[in-house]
Amino acid sequence: MNIGMICYPTYGGSGVVATELGLALASRGHQVHFISYAMPFRLSNGFVENAYYHEVSTSDYPLFQHPLYTDSLAVRAADLAESEDLDILHAHYAIPHAISAYLAREMTANHRVKVVTTMHGTDVTLVGNSQAFAPLVSFSIQRSDAVTVVSNWLRDKTLEYFDVNRPINVIHNSVDSDRFRRKPGPCPCERYRLGQERVLLHISNFRPVKRVQDVIQIFARVRQSVPSVLLMIGDGPESDKALRLARELGICPYVRFLGKQNGIENYLGGADLFLMPSDHESFGLAALEAMSSETPVIGSDSGGLREVVEDGVTGVLAPVGDVETMARRAVEILKNPPLHQSMARAGRERAMRLFGVDRIVDQYVALYEKVLES
Ligand code: GMT
């Protein structure tokens, strides 16, 4: 098949999912064309057979006060649909990608290319559900040839928020278990252990939904009974608040803000616990990557995280905002090596059994085939 993969190139789950899916499809011999405004960051490791990158640039004509990315993307995608004879245009994250894909299909001769839209979370729950965008997301869902979401929870939210009368397919996110595995040798975490400290890790885009201040609060409590350091990877609007809170709580020397990092598998493969106390996650890809790396997860008992983390088995889920319980359970795990080890092993086993790349890519391929037959 010839597939156009429309995605965000930045650090973040939806771009990662699109890139990993595209690379897996390319390794199976499909021709995959990534379409974005910059090179997706997990694609920038060099030449990959059957994978191509097409940059979208927008016009800066003075009349246009705002970049017309949606339009430029549609034109680029339509052009590629014709020149590369695309079978599928797969839009990751509805806004604005699904609408650009729809326009592209309508612009092409015979409307041959099929549009598959995958919704990832905030395109349904926060941004998509806002008055500014809801009608557009609804329209995109109705006009796509197939729609997928990354969890059962997100399917339910989609049906709750939008008036749609079409199947919404659940295809969970996947993890490359070769890449995300325990690292036996020296890992970057070692630099930050001041002695025998344990390493707690958080990775996100530091948006309000991630509740990064809860991460700091949990760590402050853990540190009272377990010598430990906290590594904060990523960046975003709440970084300053988290830093300020760490200062106020007097734990600054033990909290390292590392910014955006490549090679997060090296950190995940050396950490002792992963913290994800989000308000909600439609899935929680980083939690899955942690489990695959044998790092137990302390997270919120909400959203799609319940489909990823098995509470009490591969980590612990506690009510949103309940930093006391999250900290207490984290300490229990850190002070009990057999428990830690059994959770670590169970996490990897669950990640491989339910979320292996082959299993998930098979589901996308089956969906593409079905759409092409219709
Ligand atoms: O968090 C976001 O708003 C961005 C989005 C993204 O592009 O990374 O994250 C969502 O998609 C990921 C990949 O499917 C999911 O693992 C995340 O849970 C989801 N984030 C939220 O639902 C908050």
Side-chain angles (χ1 to χ4, degrees):
M1 280 181 269
N2 298 332
I3 301 149
M5 203 62 83
I6 301 176
C7 63
Y8 283 106
T10 43
Y11 293 77
S14 68
V16 170
V17 170
T19 312
E20 302 290 358
L21 171 62
L23 291 175
L25 289 164
S27 76
R28 292 183 180 197
H30 301 289
Q31 302 297 303
V32 180
H33 298 267
F34 291 95
I35 313 169
S36 192
Y37 57 81
M39 173 91 80
F41 81 100
R42 283 201 185 171
L43 194 65
S44 50
N45 292 337
F47 172 78
V48 179
E49 204 171 350
N50 303 325
Y52 311 89
Y53 164 59
H54 306 272
E55 190 156 306
V56 179
S57 45
T58 52
S59 165
D60 58 358
Y61 188 66
L63 184 63
F64 306 143
Q65 280 198 18
H66 306 287
L68 301 178
Y69 182 66
T70 308
D71 312 64
S72 305
L73 176 57
V75 171
R76 194 85 171 99
D79 182 50
L80 285 164
E82 303 274 21
S83 65
E84 301 295 336
D85 201 18
L86 295 184
D87 301 299
I88 301 282
L89 265 176
H90 191 163
H92 285 265
Y93 205 88
I95 307 163
H97 298 157
I99 205 71
S100 299
Y102 160 78
L103 287 173
R105 182 189 64 200
E106 298 304 303
M107 286 160 72
T108 50
N110 315 324
H111 307 169
R112 195 189 83 79
V113 67
K114 302 288 185 186
V115 172
V116 175
T117 297
T118 291
M119 293 185 296
H120 282 270
T122 48
D123 46 353
V124 172
T125 55
L126 297 180
V127 191
N129 192 30
S130 70
Q131 279 193 345
F133 288 112
L136 200 62
V137 174
S138 241
F139 179 83
S140 305
I141 294 172
Q142 287 298 123
R143 298 305 171 97
S144 298
D145 295 293
V147 175
T148 82
V149 290
V150 297
S151 62
N152 294 308
W153 179 82
L154 192 59
R155 180 197 50 211
D156 295 347
K157 287 287 160 204
T158 306
L159 295 173
E160 184 186 326
Y161 294 153
F162 304 109
D163 187 19
V164 289
N165 54 2
R166 56 163 314 136
I168 306 287
N169 305 278
V170 176
I171 302 184
H172 285 123
N173 290 331
S174 65
V175 65
D176 177 349
S177 56
D178 285 334
R179 179 170 175 188
F180 288 93
R181 62 184 322 140
R182 208 72 207 151
K183 307 280 182 232
C187 110
C189 297
E190 299 306 327
R191 272 182 240 149
Y192 305 102
R193 287 187 212 272
L194 302 173
Q196 293 303 306
E197 268 106 347
R198 313 300 291 278
V199 174
L200 281 67
L201 185 60
H202 173 75
I203 304 175
S204 79
N205 51 25
F206 287 59
R207 299 205 188 121
V209 70
K210 304 294 177 182
R211 298 182 68 97
V212 284
Q213 295 180 80
D214 284 8
V215 175
I216 303 290
Q217 292 284 11
I218 296 164
F219 174 69
R221 286 160 176 74
V222 170
R223 170 120 198 127
Q224 284 169 5
S225 42
V226 178
S228 44
V229 290
L230 172 65
L231 304 184
M232 302 283 279
I233 295 185
D235 207 353
E238 301 281 291
S239 303
D240 287 351
K241 283 187 195 157
L243 179 59
R244 232 176 293 135
L245 181 60
R247 278 202 194 117
E248 278 166 30
L249 296 174
I251 51 172
C252 252
Y254 314 106
V255 183
R256 295 301 185 94
F257 288 84
L258 303 181
K260 294 173 181 169
Q261 294 280 328
N262 286 325
I264 54 161
E265 61 273 22
N266 297 317
Y267 292 91
L268 284 165
D272 295 296
L273 278 183
F274 184 72
L275 304 181
M276 190 177 249
S278 309
D279 181 74
H280 62 267
E281 287 291 334
S282 64
F283 183 86
L285 182 62
L288 175 61
E289 292 172 341
M291 278 164 40
S292 179
S293 310
E294 298 186 40
T295 302
V297 177
I298 304 288
S300 303
D301 189 10
S302 76
L305 215 44
R306 292 171 175 156
E307 292 164 51
V308 180
V309 178
E310 193 176 353
D311 187 21
V313 178
T314 71
V316 165
L317 298 180
V320 175
D322 187 351
V323 294
E324 299 293 345
T325 301
M326 291 186 198
R328 182 172 49 75
R329 301 296 304 277
V331 169
E332 268 169 32
I333 298 168
L334 290 171
K335 286 193 164 175
N336 182 343
L339 176 63
H340 185 273
Q341 198 171 47
S342 86
M343 283 188 165
R345 288 206 178 127
R348 181 155 177 84
E349 186 279 323
R350 182 175 170 81
M352 290 174 75
R353 179 166 46 85
L354 297 180
F355 306 105
V357 174
D358 280 342
R359 178 189 169 94
I360 302 300
V361 173
D362 284 349
Q363 294 174 34
Y364 279 112
V365 170
L367 182 74
Y368 292 165
E369 284 170 353
K370 193 168 155 199
V371 162
L372 289 174
E373 279 163 16
S374 62

